Amino acid sequence: MKKIILVGLLCLSSVTFSQKKDKVLMKIGEEKVFVSDFKRVYEKNLDAIDNEDEKDVKRNIELYINYRLKVKEAYKLKLDTLHSYKNEIETYRNQLAVPFMQDSAFINKLVNDAYFRTKNEIKAKHILVRTPSISSPKDTLLAFEKINLIRNRIKNGEDFEKIAVELSEDPSAKDDAQSGRKGNKGNLGYFSAFRMVYPFEEAAYNTKVGAVSTPFKTRFGYHLLKVDSMRVSKGEVEVAHILITDTTETGKKLIFEIFEKLEKEEQFKTLAIKYSDDTETKLKGGVLRKFGKGIMVQPFEDVAFSLEKEESYSKPFQTRFGWHIIQLIKKYPVESFEKLKQELIQKVRSDERAQLSQIAVIQKLQKKYKIIENESAKVIFKNENIRIIAKDSLQTEILKINDYSLSQEDFVNYIKNRTGKAVFELFEEFKNDKILSYYKGNLEKTAPEFANTLQEYKDGLLLFELMQQKIWEKSSKDSLGLKSFFDDNISKYETKEFSKIKGEVMNDYQNFLEENWIADLRKNIIISIDNKQLKSLMKFYN
């Protein structure tokens, strides 16, 4: 209920954010209302108004004055100091700031890239040289040198797969004698957008078919990859399956017996419920969630995507999980960009690539702000017990962003519960975080759209609290006043039984209270309207 009413209140809200040449339309006490303030509020709701009388400029100016008077009263009563009000405004401010913390042009590029990479899947193989989770510069250099030596061997003609088996630190590249699993020699099969960590995806799609990439880093370490091919994506597929986990002759015999029953037109669903060892899907007739390339083990994917006709089924085949029969339910080709756009935006914003958009914002801010790092204060980086240094020893300024000063203590507090990275890396994160915090804290000064919207919400929320106190609670609790109002106005109601029309009477009583209250507010303030600007507005909108 609160939110619904608040939306209505916002339709009348305003904030002064005017250009120097903007004309003053009116004064409400000492408050100046500019022409642009009224026009913005009026035009925001113009298209939604069907009744011509309600579009009348003079009428809307009166409503606007009433609104500003009520907001003034709310501030006078210090409703903006309420704890609940402050919490709600802070929550809303954080939500409203989110789009400003990312580069919209960069996000658009990422979304377009993601669609191309959804539409076109790539086949690649890779070699990994791992780096420790907490890497020193020496660790990073050693891994980088090793991956470069590997690349030189490949450039000199050695076989990529052979070197992957020999040197890749991805365990899946080599055979596993203990489990009997065959290594993939670095082959990853086909994949598309959002299937790999973003730096890997980016390197793959920026490497030409047949070429070997330059070394690149992910959170796992340094990689080389070779792109084997690219093709139009097969989209997603939905299938049902019957799984027999017994890989002995007994299991093989059973899966072929089930296949014979299918050939005799027994229902796939019935057989899945009866025989499948996949406990998660058997009661649903073996139905799996739809999937694209790179999700299932490759033999399973290959068979699933090879089926063409809905309800057709495969011959029995084996994977490392056992014996399968698959039935095709439906194929889902990649949809148009227009249909996928919102989904891709959500994926991009929640994916690690969104950090790149934030980095783009930080890079712009670094050029705009005066940022000073105190190198001598960084001596604390060498202290192995940096997180428990006494705060009295941490009062030296370590970073300054314009007029925003940050001490060594601020940095130590930032890293106190952050582990897994070297201190110098954490300082870069600290610096970037504080640049964004400074930017976010000053958005009202630099982003008029943000300031306007936030002020509208502040005023609207204040007005809600004020109306609650002055009108809604009073009318609901004042039973004698409500009954007296009904008795004084009984002639306007068709039914004379109060109990049957109490809701209607309550609404009229609230309007009555509000009109009297507004009249009192108007008595105590001087309101002046510039007739020249008023006539100009009326002419503009008529």
Side-chain angles (χ1 to χ4, degrees):
M1 177 64 177
K2 182 176 182 178
K3 298 301 179 190
I4 294 170
I5 295 170
L6 184 55
V7 169
L9 299 178
L10 288 178
C11 292
L12 292 172
S13 62
S14 172
V15 64
T16 301
F17 218 108
S18 310
Q19 298 176 351
K20 289 180 180 179
K21 293 182 180 179
D22 202 358
K23 301 292 185 181
V24 175
L25 173 61
M26 59 181 142
K27 287 183 71 176
I28 305 172
E30 296 302 315
E31 178 188 3
K32 290 180 180 179
V33 177
F34 291 87
V35 171
S36 63
D37 296 327
F38 176 76
K39 286 182 72 173
R40 185 179 63 254
V41 175
Y42 179 67
E43 290 174 1
K44 185 188 294 185
N45 306 293
L46 203 56
D47 291 339
I49 301 173
D50 295 326
N51 190 322
E52 288 300 318
D53 290 339
E54 292 182 3
K55 292 182 180 181
D56 181 72
V57 172
K58 281 187 176 181
R59 180 181 183 278
N60 278 275
I61 283 178
E62 291 303 311
L63 289 172
Y64 183 88
I65 291 170
N66 292 345
Y67 174 80
R68 294 310 308 164
L69 288 172
K70 285 184 276 190
V71 170
K72 279 178 174 292
E73 184 70 5
Y75 281 107
K76 182 180 175 182
L77 295 173
K78 300 188 182 303
L79 297 183
D80 58 318
T81 64
L82 293 174
H83 185 67
S84 58
Y85 171 83
K86 288 182 175 180
N87 284 344
E88 186 152 1
I89 289 300
E90 186 61 25
T91 299
Y92 182 74
R93 190 185 191 282
N94 290 334
Q95 293 170 351
L96 186 62
V98 170
F100 292 89
M101 311 308 284
Q102 295 185 334
D103 186 315
S104 57
F106 198 86
I107 288 287
N108 288 338
K109 179 186 179 302
L110 291 175
V111 170
N112 284 315
D113 287 347
Y115 182 70
F116 176 83
R117 296 169 187 183
T118 300
K119 190 81 175 172
N120 300 277
E121 54 193 19
I122 205 164
K123 185 180 182 186
K125 52 177 75 88
H126 87 127
I127 293 168
L128 168 66
V129 173
R130 291 189 178 276
T131 51
S133 56
I134 303 177
S135 301
S136 67
K138 183 180 178 181
D139 294 328
T140 302
L141 181 61
L142 286 172
F144 184 70
E145 288 174 344
K146 184 175 179 180
I147 202 77
N148 268 303
L149 288 172
I150 292 171
R151 187 171 189 268
N152 288 336
R153 286 177 61 180
I154 294 167
K155 285 181 71 176
N156 289 331
E158 291 193 52
D159 182 70
F160 193 104
E161 292 186 0
K162 181 181 176 183
I163 294 180
V165 172
E166 178 188 344
L167 296 173
S168 181
E169 294 172 17
D170 178 353
S172 68
K174 301 175 178 64
D175 293 346
D176 186 342
Q178 188 173 356
S179 67
R181 176 186 56 78
K182 283 284 187 183
N184 61 21
K185 300 179 181 179
N187 287 286
L188 301 169
Y190 281 97
F191 58 88
S192 56
F194 306 105
R195 302 300 187 200
M196 302 291 182
V197 292
Y198 180 70
F200 195 97
E201 177 194 309
E202 180 77 352
Y205 278 92
N206 283 289
T207 301
K208 293 180 179 178
V209 173
V212 176
S213 71
T214 55
F216 62 94
K217 194 172 187 296
T218 72
R219 63 175 180 265
F220 303 107
Y222 279 100
H223 305 256
L224 283 179
L225 63 78
K226 183 177 181 180
V227 175
D228 292 329
S229 62
M230 183 185 287
R231 70 183 183 192
V232 175
S233 173
K234 294 181 178 293
E236 294 182 308
V237 66
E238 184 180 13
V239 300
H241 81 136
I242 297 170
L243 169 67
I244 302 300
T245 55
D246 184 352
T247 55
T248 66
E249 282 299 314
T250 302
K252 183 178 179 180
K253 181 181 177 184
L254 176 57
I255 198 74
F256 277 93
E257 287 175 357
I258 295 168
F259 181 71
E260 285 180 17
K261 292 178 185 292
L262 281 170
E263 294 283 77
K264 293 176 181 177
E265 299 188 351
E266 287 196 40
Q267 291 292 313
F268 192 98
K269 181 178 180 180
T270 303
L271 294 171
I273 292 171
K274 184 175 181 180
Y275 293 106
S276 182
D277 292 331
D278 184 350
T279 54
E280 290 188 11
T281 67
K282 66 179 296 176
L283 295 179
K284 297 182 290 185
V287 177
L288 294 161
R289 288 189 299 177
K290 64 181 180 179
F291 58 89
K293 283 287 185 177
I295 301 298
M296 301 293 192
V297 291
Q298 193 162 341
F300 193 94
E301 279 184 5
D302 290 344
V303 174
F305 280 95
S306 70
L307 297 170
E308 295 295 335
K309 188 178 178 182
E310 291 181 8
E311 296 189 5
S312 63
Y313 51 85
S314 70
K315 292 180 179 179
F317 67 96
Q318 194 173 12
T319 71
R320 66 174 184 264
F321 299 106
W323 287 94
H324 308 261
I325 301 173
I326 293 176
Q327 183 181 50
L328 176 63
I329 297 173
K330 190 174 181 180
K331 287 192 172 182
Y332 297 86
V334 176
E335 294 184 306
S336 67
F337 178 75
E338 288 70 26
K339 288 186 177 180
L340 283 181
K341 185 176 180 180
Q342 290 307 313
E343 179 185 338
L344 291 173
I345 289 172
Q346 288 299 113
K347 283 185 175 180
V348 164
R349 289 192 183 280
S350 59
D351 185 68
E352 62 181 314
R353 69 196 72 200
Q355 295 173 5
L356 298 175
S357 172
Q358 198 168 82
I359 289 169
V361 172
I362 291 169
Q363 289 171 342
K364 289 180 180 178
L365 294 174
Q366 285 174 333
K367 294 175 183 177
K368 181 179 178 181
Y369 295 159
K370 183 179 180 181
I371 300 170
I372 300 171
E373 298 178 34
N374 185 352
E375 296 301 325
S376 63
K378 294 181 183 178
V379 69
I380 60 171
F381 292 2
K382 297 176 183 178
N383 191 323
E384 292 182 0
N385 299 312
I386 186 173
R387 291 172 176 81
I388 57 172
I389 298 175
K391 68 177 184 179
D392 291 346
S393 306
L394 296 171
Q395 298 311 304
T396 304
E397 181 180 86
I398 197 169
L399 178 67
K400 191 169 186 179
I401 305 163
N402 288 348
D403 57 351
Y404 181 32
S405 178
L406 294 144
S407 67
Q408 294 165 316
E409 184 185 357
D410 293 319
F411 174 61
V412 170
N413 287 337
Y414 177 83
I415 68 170
K416 194 142 281 181
N417 297 312
R418 287 175 167 86
T419 56
K421 290 186 179 180
V423 174
F424 69 89
E425 290 180 303
L426 289 171
F427 180 77
E428 287 304 307
E429 290 184 7
F430 169 76
K431 180 173 70 176
N432 290 342
D433 180 77
K434 296 308 176 185
I435 288 171
L436 280 177
S437 294
Y438 180 80
Y439 170 62
K440 183 179 176 182
N442 287 277
L443 271 175
E444 284 92 334
K445 300 174 185 176
T446 58
E449 180 187 350
F450 175 87
N452 286 334
T453 306
L454 182 61
Q455 190 63 47
E456 288 174 356
Y457 193 87
K458 285 180 175 180
D459 290 351
L461 190 58
L462 277 178
L463 185 52
F464 178 89
E465 297 290 346
L466 185 66
M467 294 291 286
Q468 187 105 313
Q469 290 183 17
K470 293 288 186 179
I471 307 297
W472 302 325
E473 283 185 4
K474 183 177 179 180
S475 63
S476 63
K477 293 177 180 178
D478 185 11
S479 55
L480 290 175
L482 181 63
K483 185 63 169 62
S484 177
F485 174 80
F486 173 70
D487 291 338
D488 291 343
N489 296 274
I490 195 167
S491 61
K492 66 178 283 189
Y493 299 107
E494 292 181 10
T495 300
K496 309 308 177 188
E497 294 181 52
F498 175 71
S499 60
K500 290 186 177 180
I501 56 169
K502 186 176 180 180
E504 182 184 352
V505 177
M506 174 77 77
N507 185 65
D508 292 342
Y509 184 48
Q510 288 176 352
N511 291 336
F512 169 76
L513 292 174
E514 186 174 356
E515 286 170 9
N516 289 338
W517 175 45
I518 290 292
D520 287 339
L521 292 176
R522 281 180 173 254
K523 286 177 186 177
N524 300 318
I525 199 162
I526 297 172
I527 300 166
S528 59
I529 300 174
D530 187 319
N531 286 322
K532 182 181 177 181
Q533 299 305 323
L534 175 58
K535 288 177 182 178
S536 178
L537 275 173
M538 292 172 67
K539 184 178 179 181
F540 182 79
Y541 289 112
N542 287 335

